[in-house]
Amino acid sequence: MKRNILWTALFVLVGFGLAQAQGTLTGIISGNVKSPDGLAFPGVTVTVKSPGLQGVRSSTTDQNGNYIFKALPPGRYLITFQVAGMQTLEKSADLELGRAISIDGTLQVG
């Protein structure tokens, strides 16, 4: 009986390890947005767009000017930063499978 429990536990642990080794099928884009004087810029709308993404995703920077988009499919992305009174900033980046990239932006007065 104890031997069966030991073998079952061993198979569960090995199976869990194999499942973890399958890898991640998505990536992460994150970054920081600053004002022209280099200070954190909260409240900026950040949008990511890609042919591999259904629709667009939007987020707003937090009080430290940070944003994050998780579970994005790999591909070429257009990242847009917008807030009233400032010029719109666009950047492009390639997101590889299972990677996390950082795309920062500094907005200029519009």
Side-chain angles (χ1 to χ4, degrees), residues 34-98:
K34 296 186 183 203
S35 64
D37 55 2
L39 298 175
F41 205 142
V44 176
T45 300
V46 183
T47 305
V48 295
K49 190 182 336 182
S50 174
L53 183 65
Q54 292 182 346
V56 298
R57 289 199 197 165
S58 295
S59 182
T60 304
T61 56
D62 65 14
Q63 67 273 10
N64 298 316
N66 297 317
Y67 71 92
I68 188 167
F69 293 94
K70 297 179 180 179
L72 296 173
R76 183 119 180 112
Y77 280 83
L78 177 66
I79 302 99
T80 306
F81 304 90
Q82 293 179 303
V83 69
M86 305 300 278
Q87 293 178 7
T88 298
L89 175 64
E90 291 184 338
K91 292 189 169 192
S92 60
D94 292 317
L95 180 62
E96 296 176 11
L97 184 67

